[in-house]
């Protein structure tokens, strides 16, 4: 075997190794993962609700957004309302960690104009986060009564996420 043929074979092997490593890295970065800063958002099923006002209803679309610390998530909300003289209400994010059994959540106000009173429509916090594991999350519209908020008539949006 000539020296030139040996160099060509080494070059070919190196090229294939580099190509395989690159493909592996790309597939690893875009494949499924638990929650973390580089994870994709997960879409909820739509929440449908009757809200305060004359013939008022809301369609609430939402998706999870990754957070910098593991075991935490946030929810980005988009609200479409219909009806006349619609009033304010709240959106409760309720979660349950299916692995540990812990539960929690929080609620945030939606004003009379249908705007979630959170920066950029993103609900963060979630009661200090559910921790690692499979987490079932639902969106539930509630009234503004205090201290016990009552659920409004609705079909909840749900999603299950794996938090790493």
């Amino acid at each position: 075997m000539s020296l030139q043929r040996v160099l060509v074979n080494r070059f070919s092997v190196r090229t294939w190794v580099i190509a395989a490593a690159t493909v592996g890295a790309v597939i690893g970065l875009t494949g499924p993962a638990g929650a973390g800063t580089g994870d994709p958002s997960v879409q909820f099923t739509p929440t449908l609700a009757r809200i305060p006002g004359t013939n008022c209803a809301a369609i609430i679309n939402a998706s999870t957004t990754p957070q910098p610390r593991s075991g935490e998530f946030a929810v980005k909300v988009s609200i479409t309302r219909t009806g006349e003289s619609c009033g304010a209400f709240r959106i409760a994010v309720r979660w349950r960690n299916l692995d540990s059994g812990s539960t929690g959540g929080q609620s945030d106000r939606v004003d009379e104009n249908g705007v979630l009173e959170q920066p950029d429509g993103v609900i963060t916090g979630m009661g200090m986060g559910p921790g690692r594991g499979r987490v079932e999350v639902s969106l539930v519209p509630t009234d503004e009564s205090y201290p016990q908020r009552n659920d409004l008539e609705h079909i909840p949006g749900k999603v299950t996420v794996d938090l790493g």
Side-chain angles (χ1 to χ4, degrees):
M1 194 182 250
S2 72
L3 180 60
Q4 186 176 6
R5 181 118 172 111
V6 170
L7 291 176
V8 169
N9 283 343
R10 284 186 186 168
F11 176 76
S12 296
V13 169
R14 285 183 189 152
T15 303
W16 281 106
V17 168
I18 291 170
T22 303
V23 168
V26 169
I27 290 172
L29 292 175
T30 61
T37 56
D39 294 334
S41 295
V42 180
Q43 190 74 32
F44 282 77
T45 57
T47 300
L48 308 172
R50 284 192 174 170
I51 57 174
T54 307
N55 295 322
C56 290
I59 300 171
I60 305 165
N61 290 304
S63 60
T64 61
T65 60
Q67 295 297 291
R69 293 175 25 184
S70 70
E72 294 182 356
F73 69 99
V75 177
K76 182 162 181 63
V77 176
S78 171
I79 302 167
T80 304
R81 295 167 48 128
T82 184
E84 297 178 25
S85 302
C86 297
F89 65 100
R90 298 183 75 81
I91 294 177
V93 177
R94 297 176 182 161
W95 57 261
R96 181 172 60 114
N97 188 315
L98 300 174
D99 296 333
S100 70
S102 62
T103 61
Q106 71 183 54
S107 72
D108 288 282
R109 189 172 191 272
V110 176
D111 69 15
E112 292 79 7
N113 298 313
V115 177
L116 178 68
E117 295 181 345
Q118 286 288 337
D120 299 323
V122 177
I123 301 171
T124 59
M126 306 307 154
M128 301 304 291
R132 295 173 185 237
R134 287 181 36 91
V135 178
E136 184 179 77
V137 186
S138 61
L139 292 180
V140 178
T142 67
D143 64 16
E144 291 201 289
S145 60
Y146 183 80
Q148 181 64 35
R149 303 197 194 289
N150 298 309
D151 291 359
L152 297 175
E153 188 176 348
H154 70 283
I155 299 172
K158 295 184 178 189
V159 71
T160 301
V161 296
D162 289 320
L163 298 179

